[in-house]
Amino acid sequence: MTTEPLWEVFIRSRRGLSHVHAGSLHAADAEMALRNARDVYTRREEGVSIWVVPASAIEASSPEEKDSFFDPAGDKGYRHPTFYHVPEGVQHL
Amino acid sequence: MYGNDYETPDAQRARQLEDTPESFRELLATEGRVEPRDEMPDAYRRTLVRQIAQHAHSEIIGMQPEGNWISRAPSLRRKAILMAKVQDEAGHGLYLYAAAETLGVDRADLLDALHSGRQKYSSIFNYPTLTWADVGAIGWLVDGAAIVNQVPLCRCSYGPYARAMVRVCKEESFHQRQGFEILHTLSHGSPAQKAMAQDAVDRYWFPALMMFGPPDDNSPNSARSMAWGIKRHSNDDLRQRFVDMTVPQAQALDLTLPDPEIRWNEDRGHHDFAEIDFTELFEVIKGNGPCNQQRMEHKVRAHEEGAWVREAAAAFAAKQAAGEGAA
């Protein structure tokens, strides 16, 4: 027996929110993947919209490169508002 | 636990983690989660594959004892509830297979391992559902025990397994309540209905207690699973927690748990209960339970008889893809 292609499932739980990864499943094609995703991941009204993406189409960063890949952001605390000194009593800043 | 008795828990944990990658030890030490492409010891990966696959198989086989009563549920309400529950079990199986696959195994191989008997499922599903009350007892006791086992797995060190368990646990609580409600209705019905409820509890109590596995002094892999953050509490601790939760619920049901030794122990702050005869559990695991053969035959038959559906879906997908290419 061969295993059907793997799909990653993303669900928008309600209007106004983004699609979030819910899990994965196997299906022969995109249409079946959508139907299966509805049955597997939204039995309790967990979603108003579903995306299915072939797992093979996802390019992921590698855990081994974790340090070098994310390093550039590591020493830039000045990108956060908490980096700055605000004198006592100054408001709306 | 094995090893010498004088080892402190910390020393024992350290020994279990010898020769594992540093990044892995660091994650465990900080209660971080291991994700699929992280470095992990082979034995950790193998243990997880075995445990998650067995868990998935249990959900799938677990549809059979209850599915047995769908066509004979006593009302449309009960029937709709039971169908929803059995469908949930299928969903739980699928979440778990997907989690196992993140460890690099193939779904087809996992199913093959189940069908050929190389991987097991929980022994509890090798008991028959003789009456409608058994559906109640399964929900109340079997799902109740499963919840006690599963809640700590939501904090398992392997991310995909933990996330699957969060979803499963959310859905299980309806399962336990519907079982409790079935038994409550029967036990407050006619004397015959009450006797049926009592009989179901009598038959399912000890098998439910055995779901927590062998006693701690006979559970060779527990120490390692605990060091790895897969297991959070010992078998006996979880069993005790289940007994303590269940005794007052049985009183509310006005049903008796079939163990005359159950009594509150003021000193321990827990209920005492009879020593469990595990000979039966090991017999059922070996394949000698009342329904082992029936469950496997049914599963394999369903898989084989469903082959044409999978083949048709694949043929349709191929045809569509070819059509798109031509256009």
Side-chain angles (χ1 to χ4, degrees):
Chain A
M1 165 195 164
T2 55
T3 302
E4 293 170 336
L6 187 67
W7 302 78
E8 297 298 335
V9 179
F10 299 82
I11 292 176
R12 183 200 293 286
S13 56
R14 55 188 166 84
R15 300 184 68 83
L17 297 178
S18 349
H19 288 74
V20 173
H21 185 240
S24 51
L25 49 76
H26 291 280
D29 59 27
E31 196 189 333
M32 287 299 294
L34 271 179
R35 285 172 179 275
N36 291 352
R38 179 198 60 188
D39 292 345
V40 177
Y41 292 106
T42 64
R43 288 193 302 283
R44 288 173 176 77
E45 298 182 295
E46 290 95 335
V48 296
S49 164
I50 301 178
W51 290 346
V52 290
V53 180
S56 59
I58 292 179
E59 191 64 29
S61 64
S62 152
E64 284 85 56
E65 296 170 13
K66 184 177 68 180
D67 294 336
S68 56
F69 197 68
F70 295 105
D71 250 2
D75 57 355
K76 296 179 179 60
Y78 46 82
R79 284 176 172 164
H80 297 277
T82 46
F83 179 81
Y84 299 92
H85 175 76
V86 177
E88 195 82 22
V90 176
Q91 291 187 346
H92 309 300
L93 189 66
Chain B
M1 287 191 203
Y2 57 98
N4 75 58
D5 293 332
Y6 304 103
E7 209 173 22
T8 65
D10 281 347
Q12 193 175 42
R13 197 170 303 125
R15 185 166 55 81
Q16 297 288 352
L17 294 175
E18 271 170 21
D19 304 323
T20 60
E22 197 190 322
S23 58
F24 176 74
R25 283 202 305 272
E26 241 174 56
L27 274 178
L28 293 187
T30 55
E31 282 289 310
R33 293 289 175 266
V34 180
E35 293 296 341
R37 301 208 298 158
D38 288 339
E39 210 181 354
M40 62 185 96
D42 280 344
Y44 175 82
R45 185 185 297 272
R46 279 197 307 275
T47 299
L48 277 169
V49 168
R50 201 192 58 224
Q51 178 171 337
I52 301 172
Q54 173 166 336
H55 198 158
H57 300 329
S58 302
E59 301 282 357
I60 298 298
I61 299 288
M63 292 194 281
Q64 291 185 42
E66 292 179 296
N68 180 32
W69 280 93
I70 289 178
S71 62
R72 292 172 289 164
S75 69
L76 192 55
R77 177 177 183 270
R78 295 288 183 207
K79 188 175 193 148
I81 292 171
L82 188 55
M83 283 199 293
K85 179 180 190 298
V86 172
Q87 194 187 12
D88 272 356
E89 308 300 358
H92 297 176
L94 294 174
Y95 308 154
L96 288 159
Y97 281 129
E101 286 175 278
T102 63
L103 290 157
V105 288
D106 191 77
R107 174 82 55 100
D109 293 338
L110 295 177
L111 290 180
D112 192 50
L114 171 66
H115 297 161
S116 63
R118 277 178 291 127
Q119 285 176 346
K120 303 275 184 203
Y121 54 90
S122 175
S123 288
I124 193 74
F125 302 117
N126 288 319
Y127 291 89
T129 39
L130 303 176
T131 69
W132 169 250
D134 288 11
V135 175
I138 287 181
W140 178 45
L141 295 175
V142 174
D143 290 312
I147 291 172
V148 171
N149 257 331
Q150 289 172 348
V151 166
L153 286 172
C154 298
R155 294 185 295 117
C156 164
S157 61
Y158 188 59
Y161 191 24
R163 292 192 285 277
M165 293 320 300
V166 169
R167 202 174 270 277
V168 168
C169 285
K170 264 190 209 158
E171 299 181 353
E172 285 288 351
S173 51
F174 124 64
H175 298 181
Q176 194 189 13
R177 282 196 189 190
Q178 64 87 36
F180 185 90
E181 194 194 75
I182 289 173
L183 291 179
H184 193 269
T185 305
L186 289 173
S187 107
H188 294 79
S190 69
Q193 286 171 326
K194 180 160 188 183
M196 189 199 280
Q198 184 61 57
D199 170 62
V201 170
D202 288 348
R203 279 181 290 110
Y204 271 94
W205 173 246
F206 281 106
L209 289 187
M210 290 186 224
M211 287 172 66
F212 296 95
D216 294 346
D217 51 16
N218 185 21
S219 181
N221 298 319
S222 279
R224 196 170 68 170
S225 281
M226 285 172 102
W228 281 344
I230 297 174
K231 202 177 162 76
R232 298 288 179 176
H233 307 281
S234 79
N235 295 352
D236 286 333
D237 286 352
L238 291 171
R239 192 167 8 246
Q240 180 70 61
R241 188 178 295 177
F242 175 67
V243 172
D244 290 339
M245 278 171 37
T246 308
V247 169
Q249 292 173 0
Q251 284 161 0
L253 285 173
D254 199 18
L255 294 172
T256 314
L257 297 174
D259 176 359
E261 292 181 41
I262 290 183
R263 63 178 58 84
W264 178 251
N265 182 326
E266 192 69 52
D267 297 336
R268 291 201 309 125
H270 291 292
H271 292 87
D272 289 338
F273 54 100
E275 198 162 317
I276 300 165
D277 178 11
F278 280 95
T279 348
E280 180 179 311
L281 176 70
F282 293 121
E283 276 304 304
V284 180
I285 290 176
K286 268 194 272 172
N288 302 326
C291 300
N292 296 53
Q293 199 185 345
Q294 181 189 336
R295 299 290 184 242
M296 283 310 298
E297 278 173 7
H298 182 87
K299 173 69 180 79
V300 172
R301 191 171 60 242
H303 186 72
E304 285 170 356
E305 289 178 355
W308 70 270
V309 178
R310 296 187 294 276
E311 283 159 17
F316 182 77
K319 199 169 143 189
Q320 293 296 109
E324 270 171 32

